Amino acid sequence: MKSLEGRRLMFQLLNSSERWTDYYDGEIFRNRYIRGVIKRLMYFVPGILHRTKIVKFQKWHENYTLIGMAAVNCNELDAAVQMYQKLTADKDKLYWGLPVDWFSGKLTFPRGTMMSTTTSETILFFYELAKKRRNVVEDDVIRAAAYNLLNGLNRVSESPDCLLLSYTPFDTYKVHNANLLVAAALGVSGELLADSTLVDASRKIVHGCVSKLHTDGWVPYRIGGTEDTVDTYHQIFSIRALYYLKESNEEANVWFKRMLIYLENNLMNKDTGTVYLFNTKKIIDLQPTSEALRLYGMLNQEETYNKIYRKMLQDFVDDSGQIIQRIWFVGERKRKIKSNRAFVRQGLGRLAIALSSK
């Protein structure tokens, strides 16, 4: 039976999805220093920033994907279908991304740009919905979205047995978690459609990524990155991507286990249920904590799930019942700095899936 908390939170979010807050609400400013200040202020005074219109609420495609996945988990399939219909309303544009211009280094990604991660997560939602409402999820939608990923991203590295794709159609970034999520989306699409081209591409992307990884199982953000660039959120993204492939791809299964062992030994404390943002253990955040809950719910590891859940309630719910986003440990963890509230997309949206995953 799915959690009552997940069901309640999912419907609360369903009714307010047009006004979710996010780190990137401030991307309307082109100056990176202004954006940096605003992102930090969002942890403490998001209400003031929105009331004064320094930042604006954005309609993220991922809002609907997160609600849809939570709805599938809760078996609230009418709500899930509603999210599917929102995401597929434009049949000529079956890819998903940002509602704002997004700045990365010297690059500007125009609003509406296909994002490899967002599009992959949306396909994974469709796949989960198709397992329960196959008559709703159209083959042409899955096929078009999958081939948009395969053909719309830049092939930044390719050989007979390896393939690495860019983050968007405008860059040549080589990002591990993005590529592995694409591999998962192509793999499940190929399975659903009996399409060997998609399955083969999925295998090549997995091999392209894991051949660049250290055997200890840590996953840097960029391919070629060092261990000090590892963060728990993207480590779990990579693990969850391989979860979808481990039954059909032995290489994916081997690295799924390695990545999971690294997570448990370096980025969390299984005894207490604490999930850290980095291996320095100086920050805890609702985003990776929610992803860890989701992962252990998918793995049916109830004891670990419950420990993380109890610790989440202890750390991220304040005395007034408000859910907060982040805690910084200062000095020898004698003092804590707490954020004001949770970002809805990366906090409550992912928490809704986590609570519905058990």
Side-chain angles (χ1 to χ4, degrees):
M1 181 177 179
K2 299 305 180 184
S3 72
L4 183 60
E5 293 96 333
R7 194 180 302 272
R8 287 173 176 165
L9 184 53
M10 186 266 294
F11 278 110
Q12 176 187 337
L13 294 171
L14 182 64
N15 293 328
S16 61
S17 60
E18 305 300 331
R19 294 181 62 79
W20 283 19
T21 61
D22 190 83
Y23 298 109
Y24 295 103
D25 285 351
E27 288 286 303
I28 56 176
F29 293 95
R30 301 190 69 85
N31 185 286
R32 68 186 182 95
Y33 297 106
I34 294 175
R35 293 197 308 273
V37 170
I38 288 173
K39 285 180 183 178
R40 287 160 178 80
L41 289 175
M42 282 286 286
Y43 283 104
F44 301 101
V45 289
I48 292 174
L49 292 174
H50 283 103
R51 284 195 298 274
T52 56
K53 299 190 177 182
I54 294 174
V55 298
K56 296 179 180 179
F57 296 108
Q58 309 293 343
K59 294 183 182 179
W60 287 74
H61 289 140
E62 197 171 345
N63 297 358
Y64 306 133
T65 299
L66 292 171
I67 294 171
M69 187 69 86
V72 169
N73 288 344
C74 289
N75 213 35
E76 297 288 347
L77 298 183
D78 288 344
V81 170
Q82 182 182 348
M83 296 302 102
Y84 171 81
Q85 290 169 342
K86 282 179 176 288
L87 288 161
T88 59
D90 186 351
K91 291 294 194 294
D92 295 324
K93 190 180 177 183
L94 291 172
Y95 57 85
W96 300 272
L98 303 177
V100 292
D101 292 342
W102 179 48
F103 306 97
S104 177
K106 296 180 179 180
L107 297 178
T108 300
F109 303 135
R111 69 185 62 203
T113 294
M114 175 172 63
M115 305 295 290
S116 54
T117 49
T118 303
T119 300
S120 297
E121 293 278 31
T122 301
I123 292 173
L124 291 174
F125 157 48
F126 292 171
Y127 172 71
E128 294 294 346
L129 178 59
K131 289 194 291 188
K132 297 185 176 182
R133 286 276 181 92
R134 188 66 183 91
N135 62 314
V136 170
V137 180
E138 302 150 279
D139 285 0
D140 287 348
V141 166
I142 296 287
R143 185 177 293 106
Y147 276 98
N148 280 337
L149 279 177
L150 182 58
N151 298 327
L153 299 171
N154 297 314
R155 299 187 174 213
V156 294
S157 180
E158 187 171 14
S159 68
D161 61 347
C162 293
L163 176 62
L164 294 173
L165 301 173
S166 60
Y167 201 85
T168 75
F170 294 96
D171 65 82
T172 56
Y173 296 159
K174 292 186 284 188
V175 178
H176 273 299
N177 71 84
N179 269 279
L180 290 173
L181 282 169
V182 170
L186 298 183
V188 300
S189 298
E191 173 191 325
L192 203 64
L193 302 172
D195 187 321
S196 60
T197 298
L198 296 177
V199 171
D200 183 59
S202 172
R203 288 180 175 275
K204 290 174 66 174
I205 294 169
V206 169
H207 185 68
C209 281
V210 302
S211 65
K212 308 292 185 183
L213 291 176
H214 191 277
T215 54
D216 284 351
W218 45 271
V219 186
Y221 184 76
R222 296 280 184 97
I223 291 174
T226 57
E227 189 174 4
D228 61 6
T229 66
V230 173
D231 72 88
T232 307
Y233 179 54
H234 293 104
Q235 177 86 15
I236 297 176
F237 263 24
S238 301
I239 295 169
R240 179 161 54 81
L242 294 184
Y243 169 86
Y244 280 97
L245 303 172
K246 65 186 182 68
E247 299 301 324
S248 59
N249 182 337
E250 180 55 29
E251 188 171 41
N253 185 44
V254 168
W255 283 92
F256 167 81
K257 293 175 181 177
R258 289 179 182 177
M259 292 177 190
L260 185 62
I261 289 170
Y262 183 87
L263 169 72
E264 294 178 346
N265 289 342
N266 297 275
L267 298 170
M268 59 183 289
N269 185 326
K270 282 189 74 176
D271 292 331
T272 65
T274 305
V275 179
Y276 299 101
L277 182 58
F278 305 110
N279 57 18
T280 55
K281 300 178 173 58
K282 293 182 178 179
I283 302 173
I284 56 176
D285 189 279
L286 187 61
Q287 186 174 351
T289 299
S290 297
E291 283 297 317
L293 276 173
R294 179 181 181 180
L295 175 65
Y296 285 100
M298 293 169 67
L299 296 177
N300 292 315
Q301 294 191 18
E302 186 171 0
E303 182 179 358
T304 302
Y305 181 98
N306 288 337
K307 286 181 178 179
I308 298 171
Y309 175 69
R310 288 192 293 269
K311 197 68 170 65
M312 183 274 297
L313 291 179
Q314 177 184 328
D315 289 334
F316 295 107
V317 181
D318 65 19
D319 293 340
S320 68
Q322 173 73 48
I323 299 176
I324 65 174
Q325 185 71 36
R326 179 172 289 188
I327 297 173
W328 295 263
F329 297 107
V330 180
E332 294 299 318
R333 300 193 203 163
K334 294 179 181 178
R335 187 161 62 93
K336 298 178 182 179
I337 298 176
K338 297 185 178 184
S339 66
N340 184 306
R341 67 177 69 176
F343 296 104
V344 186
R345 182 174 75 99
Q346 298 292 17
L348 299 184
R350 295 192 177 277
L351 181 58
I353 296 179
L355 295 175
S356 66
S357 295
K358 185 182 175 189

